[in-house]
Amino acid sequence: MAAERLFERAVRLQLQGSGCEERRMYVRVSIELQSTSTPIHKRDLVVQLTDDTDPFFLYNLVISEEDFQSLKFQQGLLVDFSAFPQRFIDLLQQCIQEQNKDIPRFLLQLVSSASALDHKPVFLNVVETNPFKHLTHLSLQFLPGNDAEIKKFLANCLKCIKEEKLLLEQKLKKTEDDLTRQLNFTQQ
Amino acid sequence: MAAERLFERAVRLQLQGSGCEERRMYVRVSIELQSTSTPIHKRDLVVQLTDDTDPFFLYNLVISEEDFQSLKFQQGLLVDFSAFPQRFIDLLQQCIQEQNKDIPRFLLQLVSSASALDHKPVFLNVVETNPFKHLTHLSLQFLPGNDAEIKKFLANCLKCIKEEKLLLEQKLKKTEDDLTRQLNFTQQ
């Protein structure tokens, strides 16, 4: 399996639950295109929502080429599977540009049917607000990660952060050595 | 709940499965005394086996004061619950002292009934080998962690390593600033 990371960024969004106040929070959106060629050629768009401050927050969406056909039909999309990821990323970028405005024109919403994010499916909506109405450009349903998926996700985070920590340790060692050497040289 | 960490160290042990070759590996043993006072006073000895190189390796043992009575009876122990943790740590220390010897007198064994560590219970044994026989000083049964337990363990690892990484970043920044300042001062 080959995986190509297309997008990864913490994005500010509006959280909406039933019967609770709206609030803003940052969610890390990662978009990957996974492809396998054996036994058959198959491509999946994998989108993950995580929260840097909450290790147990994980929502997944996997869109296969077949799934995309029904999504395309349901939401009246005019692009094909290949062009979809970049259009989705463009919409996210528009939301990011306006994420600190009081009244953003493009807004990312995370909508839950429960009162809190309580291991229920959620919808990620890209909503444009014009003087006339709210226009939903895209609405994607995400499923909460189960224990096995969260475990796998955390193991991967741990692997990455261990590598980053090792690099930092090496850089610190090198910085100390370099500057001490320069200092000794200058003092002579 | 209050938790007191009594021991934490990567210890070399001998892995034994049924029908497979023995091999040596490092396992991190952590021993904690957890106590709650509400609603009733209760103490548990919590022992965890993990592998720094495998995020999914987790074996747990929880010994309550009641559990300890049957362990004491089964294994003919002469100490009470309060004294047990330190005796266990003493035995581990004896194994650590000899862990790099070809023929150690005290050896830690991890024994699985399966051919590999395949999510089956395992026994952690402290075995002394004298000229006459193998003497098992202690044999404790551990259960493999389920997805939810591994998830919780990994989230905790991630939290700790993030803190360590932040401290490293701060130290690197300070080291660069300090030494650059000294260098500028010396060059003047």
Side-chain angles (χ1 to χ4, degrees):
Chain A
M1 192 192 76
E4 186 192 354
R5 171 73 48 98
L6 304 176
F7 180 87
E8 194 204 290
R9 184 147 171 198
V11 177
R12 201 171 176 202
L13 51 72
Q14 189 185 54
L15 184 66
Q16 292 187 350
S18 80
C20 67
E21 275 200 37
E22 291 172 8
R23 63 182 179 93
R24 297 275 190 101
M25 71 178 287
Y26 278 90
V27 164
R28 184 168 294 277
V29 181
S30 115
I31 306 178
E32 245 184 39
L33 191 65
Q34 293 180 355
S35 49
T36 44
S37 48
T38 46
I40 50 160
H41 186 72
K42 193 173 176 304
R43 288 187 303 170
D44 289 319
L45 188 69
V46 179
V47 189
Q48 223 171 31
L49 308 180
T50 56
D51 177 354
D52 292 352
T53 64
D54 176 0
F56 302 132
F57 184 107
L58 175 68
Y59 288 87
N60 292 310
L61 166 66
V62 180
I63 309 175
S64 68
E65 290 192 64
E66 297 91 86
D67 295 340
F68 183 75
Q69 294 315 313
S70 51
L71 184 76
K72 186 177 171 175
F73 178 74
Q74 281 165 19
Q75 309 211 3
L77 306 179
L78 300 173
V79 295
D80 63 11
F81 183 80
S82 305
F84 175 71
Q86 192 53 52
R87 296 301 173 95
F88 179 29
I89 292 167
D90 292 344
L91 285 172
L92 290 175
Q93 298 286 15
Q94 282 186 281
C95 296
I96 290 168
Q97 276 173 25
E98 310 221 333
Q99 68 185 4
N100 294 319
K101 290 188 183 168
D102 285 337
I103 305 166
R105 199 162 73 89
F106 276 88
L107 177 71
L108 212 55
Q109 290 177 332
L110 193 66
V111 181
S112 168
S113 58
S115 60
L117 290 173
D118 197 22
H119 292 279
K120 293 282 190 321
V122 293
F123 284 92
L124 184 73
N125 300 335
V126 179
V127 180
E128 182 187 353
T129 304
N130 67 24
F132 177 58
K133 67 167 284 184
H134 298 299
L135 267 172
T136 300
H137 285 257
L138 195 62
S139 177
L140 300 172
Q141 189 181 27
F142 285 73
L143 299 178
N146 61 26
D147 284 344
E149 287 163 343
I150 296 176
K151 180 185 86 168
K152 209 176 131 193
F153 161 70
L154 288 175
N156 197 42
C157 289
L158 201 60
K159 184 169 164 276
C160 295
I161 208 166
K162 272 187 181 175
E163 286 167 4
E164 288 169 16
K165 195 184 152 213
L166 188 67
L167 286 176
L168 262 181
E169 281 165 348
Q170 290 167 347
K171 194 176 169 195
L172 177 62
K173 175 87 177 58
K174 192 175 175 304
T175 304
E176 284 173 346
D177 290 355
D178 281 1
L179 290 175
T180 310
R181 204 180 310 114
Q182 284 182 48
L183 202 62
N184 286 338
F185 180 76
T186 318
Q187 282 172 336
Q188 274 168 16
Chain B
M1 192 193 73
E4 185 193 355
R5 172 71 48 98
L6 304 176
F7 180 88
E8 194 202 290
R9 183 145 171 199
V11 176
R12 202 171 175 202
L13 51 72
Q14 189 184 54
L15 184 65
Q16 293 187 348
S18 79
C20 67
E21 274 200 40
E22 292 172 6
R23 64 182 179 93
R24 295 276 188 102
M25 71 178 288
Y26 278 89
V27 165
R28 184 169 295 277
V29 180
S30 112
I31 306 177
E32 246 184 40
L33 193 64
Q34 294 180 354
S35 49
T36 44
S37 48
T38 46
I40 49 159
H41 186 70
K42 194 174 174 303
R43 287 186 304 170
D44 289 319
L45 188 68
V46 178
V47 189
Q48 224 172 28
L49 307 181
T50 57
D51 177 354
D52 291 352
T53 64
D54 176 0
F56 302 132
F57 184 108
L58 175 67
Y59 288 87
N60 293 309
L61 166 65
V62 180
I63 309 175
S64 67
E65 290 192 65
E66 297 89 85
D67 297 339
F68 183 75
Q69 295 314 313
S70 50
L71 184 76
K72 185 176 171 176
F73 178 74
Q74 281 165 20
Q75 310 211 3
L77 307 178
L78 300 174
V79 296
D80 62 11
F81 183 79
S82 305
F84 175 71
Q86 192 52 51
R87 295 303 173 93
F88 179 29
I89 292 168
D90 292 344
L91 285 171
L92 290 174
Q93 298 286 15
Q94 281 186 283
C95 296
I96 290 168
Q97 276 173 25
E98 310 222 331
Q99 69 185 2
N100 293 320
K101 291 188 183 167
D102 285 336
I103 307 168
R105 199 162 72 91
F106 276 87
L107 178 71
L108 212 54
Q109 289 178 333
L110 193 66
V111 182
S112 169
S113 56
S115 62
L117 289 174
D118 196 22
H119 292 280
K120 294 281 188 323
V122 293
F123 284 92
L124 183 75
N125 300 336
V126 179
V127 180
E128 182 188 354
T129 304
N130 66 23
F132 176 59
K133 68 167 285 182
H134 298 299
L135 266 172
T136 300
H137 285 256
L138 195 62
S139 178
L140 300 172
Q141 189 181 25
F142 285 73
L143 298 177
N146 61 27
D147 285 343
E149 287 162 342
I150 295 176
K151 180 185 86 168
K152 208 175 133 196
F153 162 69
L154 288 175
N156 196 43
C157 289
L158 201 61
K159 184 169 165 275
C160 294
I161 207 165
K162 273 188 179 173
E163 287 167 4
E164 288 169 16
K165 196 183 151 213
L166 188 68
L167 287 177
L168 261 181
E169 281 165 348
Q170 290 166 348
K171 194 177 169 194
L172 177 62
K173 175 89 177 57
K174 192 174 177 303
T175 303
E176 284 172 347
D177 290 354
D178 281 1
L179 289 175
T180 310
R181 203 179 311 114
Q182 283 181 49
L183 202 61
N184 286 339
F185 180 77
T186 317
Q187 280 171 337
Q188 276 168 11

